[in-house]
Amino acid sequence: MDTKTTVIASEDLARQARICDEIKEHWRGQGIVPRAYVDTYGCQQNEADSEKIRGMLAACGYEMAEDEEGADVIVLNTCAIREHAEQRVYGNVGALVHTKRRHPGQKIFLCGCMMGQPHVVEKIKKSYRHVDGVFNPHQLWRFPELLRQALSTGKRVFAAEDSAGSIAEGIPLLRQGGVKAWVSVMYGCNNFCSYCIVPYVRGRERSRHPEEILHEVRGLLQRGYKDITLLGQNVNSYGKDLGLGIDFADLLAEIAGLPGDFWLRFMTSHPKDATKKLFDTMAASPKIAKQFHLPVQSGNDRVLKEMNRRYTRAQYLSLVDYGRQVMPELVLTSDIIVGFPGETEEEFEDTLSLIEKVRYDALFTFIYSPRKGTPAAEMADPVPRQEKNRWFDRLVTAQNKISEEIHLGYVGKTVKILVDGAEDGVLTGRTEGGRLVRLAGPTDWIGRFVDVEITGHTTWSLEGKPKVQ
Ligand code: 5AD
Ligand code: SF4
């Protein structure tokens, strides 16, 4: 692998922009308004990448379609984090044979983390011949060039060279909605947790220049966005590669200092890199949401070591204590893997006892899934799937009880929410801590902060009625 991060030169990006103009001309010459469909799997990083893909497609003259039927270009932005995510993609790519038969000019592209794995690219090449193009996360900025090649030659294009990764500034973005926005602050991951494929497919950690980030956030606030989430696989490493003497807490403080009424969030934080300074910065700024996603993965020290997480249960718990000490209202969420190779029932029970101790507001729980090329995939994994399913159910039941108790505690309280959408005639919004609230109200409240009295709850959400404005 090439180990150097490349900053993509502005001339190279300008060339892609010119290619977009050419593609636009190509369609205009035929009197056609082409349509594109982008389907996203996986995490927020992929959602953010899809906004770039849509931005590039819009610059090429494409209108966005609601589904794949009849679209002139289909892009599947894939996820490799677990086997199940990959199986879904293979199933959906397979089904596109029929869609393409009904619309023979259709171009099908696959990108995202699955395409960062050479064995997957080989499989697509050999067994999914209706796919016109593939690009991995490092090659995303070259999409216009790849699209033009596929359109003009009719041949398949594969851009899947491995690299440490690049930073490309100035790719056009087409965002969905006008209230919440994601802003990538860094890309890649250096942690190599033993179960995880991400460092292999997304390359080394690389931070965007703070001025670029501030410029993007200023623009979003001017356009009325009210909820900004800073994104990175491990935001707490932000700045280490820049040598500017600025860390993630500094960046957060600078953004929170921008004028306007908004909430600032971030994800994801690795516990080994979360600092007291970060918690203090959060506590000091009313604009930084009091919400922390702090994946623990396991509550057992031996398993944590095997996972290469580089913290202990005690260190994790003391971090949580500090966070709560400076922010008693802190909403905490986490990720947990059940059934890591060699995990015993007692070790799993340490995870159960940890969640009882921490009392997270919500958990994202996963059964371990072996990923080819990662160290954990080579470890002995004697526990049968059925047993792991049972542990998983115990964990979910325990967490549901905790989440419900916490939700019950909201009832009767008045909370400030940001209204961000409407579903079936009911408004939806989020509290500062990110809890989902449903309420009745006019759709022109979307994008507004509203005080709501919480009147009811479910495991997953709260119900409320607006206080008189
Ligand atoms: N199997 C199961 N879960 C995984 N995660 C990452 N890799 C795997 C894997 N191989 C989970 C971790 C991570 C979240 C995004 O996905 O909990 O925090
Ligand atoms: Fe994967 Fe660990 Fe990096 Fe998160 S920190 S992306 S779990 S390797």
Side-chain angles (χ1 to χ4, degrees), residues 74-94:
I74 296 175
V75 183
L76 263 59
N77 190 2
T78 66
C79 170
I81 200 96
R82 284 170 291 273
E83 171 80 21
H84 177 69
E86 293 201 348
Q87 289 313 332
R88 266 183 65 214
V89 169
Y90 282 126
N92 291 347
V93 177

Side-chain angles (χ1 to χ4, degrees), residues 18-29:
R18 282 197 298 278
I19 294 174
C20 288
D21 291 340
E22 284 167 30
I23 297 176
K24 204 174 196 171
E25 258 328 293
H26 157 88
W27 290 111
R28 199 180 285 154

Side-chain angles (χ1 to χ4, degrees), residues 81 189-193 195-199 233-234 268 270 297 309:
I81 200 96
C189 181
N190 288 357
N191 288 317
F192 290 94
C193 300
Y195 51 80
C196 186
I197 194 75
V198 169
Q233 245 75 43
N234 175 19
T268 293
H270 194 303
Q297 314 296 358
R309 293 291 287 178

Side-chain angles (χ1 to χ4, degrees), residues 43 81-82 195-198 268 293 295 297 309 335-337 364 366-371 374:
C43 66
I81 200 96
R82 284 170 291 273
Y195 51 80
C196 186
I197 194 75
V198 169
T268 293
H293 184 60
Q297 314 296 358
R309 293 291 287 178
D335 293 346
I336 286 187
I337 297 178
F364 300 89
F366 311 102
I367 293 186
Y368 169 73
S369 168
R371 305 285 64 214
T374 61

